[in-house]
């Protein structure tokens, strides 16, 4: 998939997520997401912090002892934007081609697809990943080594999508719809029957 196609999907996902977030009531914003120990609000804040520059990222990394996960969680929790401001910021990112330092073009799409599910699934809201975008993200999740290293986490598992041409790994077969495979590769616990 070409870069502009990827960015087109990023724009569409951001706009759709902004529309979804705009409908949420306070209790839904406070709901635990699929992203470990993060609420729906914190996941949404994380998405709008995607345009942070090198200087701010270096400062935040230093403040967190260069622990990536701790840094991301702390920065999301400390953000004091209102839910209306979060929605407006996410909507304002449509068309932006900025991405976090050191990331690839596909990474904002990965964030949008995975975090969209992190938000929607616990709320019982339907949200389907576009298959061509999910295929690109699944491949990225399997090949990246930081911050997610699916190959190391699942050395003896073969993931097979039941609804798309995607299969990676070797060993015990986990056959699931592509959306579920993406979430499993991203390290999400999506239900007892999907544990690997």
């Amino acid at each position: 998939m070409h870069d502009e196609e990827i960015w087109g999907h990023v724009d569409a996902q951001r706009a759709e997520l902004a529309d979804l977030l705009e409908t949420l009531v306070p209790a839904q914003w406070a709901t635990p997401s699929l992203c470990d120990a993060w609420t729906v609000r914190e996941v949404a804040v994380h998405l709008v912090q995607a345009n942070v520059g090198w200087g701010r990222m270096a400062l935040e990394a230093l403040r967190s002892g260069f622990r990536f996960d701790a840094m991301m969680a702390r920065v999301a929790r400390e953000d004091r934007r209102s839910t209306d401001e979060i929605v407006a910021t996410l909507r304002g990112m449509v068309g932006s081609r900025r991405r976090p330092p050191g990331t690839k073009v596909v990474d904002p799409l990965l964030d949008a697809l995975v975090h969209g599910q992190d938000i929607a699934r616990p709320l019982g809201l339907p949200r389907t990943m576009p298959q061509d975008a999910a295929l690109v993200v699944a491949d990225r999740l399997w090949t990246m080594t930081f911050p997610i290293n699916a190959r190391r986490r699942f050395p003896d598992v073969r993931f097979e999508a039941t609804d798309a041409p995607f299969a990676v790994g070797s060993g015990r077969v986990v056959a699931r719809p592509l959306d579920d495979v993406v979430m499993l590769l991203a390290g999400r616990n999506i239900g007892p029957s999907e544990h690997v």
Side-chain angles (χ1 to χ4, degrees):
M1 184 179 291
H2 298 295
D3 288 0
E4 278 310 305
E5 291 176 277
I6 291 172
W7 282 116
H9 278 295
V10 172
D11 288 343
Q13 291 299 309
R14 287 173 173 170
E16 290 173 16
L17 277 169
D19 290 344
L20 183 151
L21 292 170
E22 197 167 41
T23 69
L24 301 186
V25 299
Q28 290 173 305
W29 282 94
T31 298
S33 75
L34 291 184
C35 195
D36 191 35
W38 289 30
T39 64
V40 164
R41 183 191 179 282
E42 290 160 352
V43 172
V45 166
H46 171 70
L47 284 169
V48 301
Q49 292 174 336
N51 289 347
V52 171
W54 274 108
R56 170 82 188 275
M57 184 169 272
L59 175 63
E60 298 301 347
L62 180 64
R63 288 182 63 204
S64 296
F66 296 97
R67 292 173 297 128
F68 180 79
D69 289 341
M71 175 188 76
M72 299 311 291
R74 181 182 54 74
V75 171
R77 288 187 182 105
E78 289 177 356
D79 194 299
R80 295 292 171 237
R81 278 179 263 209
S82 70
T83 55
D84 287 344
E85 289 171 323
I86 294 167
V87 171
T89 303
L90 185 58
R91 202 179 302 286
M93 290 169 66
V94 173
S96 171
R97 297 300 178 252
R98 290 189 65 195
R99 60 183 198 269
T103 62
K104 296 184 181 249
V105 171
V106 70
D107 292 343
L109 180 58
L110 187 160
D111 271 356
L113 291 186
V114 171
H115 291 315
Q117 296 291 314
D118 286 337
I119 290 167
R121 288 186 183 209
L123 296 175
L125 301 173
R127 185 163 180 77
T128 304
M129 297 180 194
Q131 188 176 91
D132 57 342
L135 285 168
V136 171
V137 166
D139 184 65
R140 173 68 174 142
L141 284 163
W142 186 249
T143 58
M144 74 189 312
T145 57
F146 179 82
I148 298 166
N149 192 332
R151 283 180 295 178
R152 184 172 58 193
R153 180 181 290 139
F154 303 113
D156 301 316
V157 178
R158 177 172 175 79
F159 292 95
E160 296 179 357
T162 58
D163 57 353
F166 182 80
V168 291
S170 60
R172 181 173 61 86
V173 173
V174 174
R176 305 288 306 163
L178 181 60
D179 288 14
D180 287 353
V181 170
V182 167
M183 296 305 287
L184 290 166
L185 292 176
R188 300 309 191 263
N189 177 0
I190 57 173
S193 63
E194 290 86 8
H195 282 192
V196 291

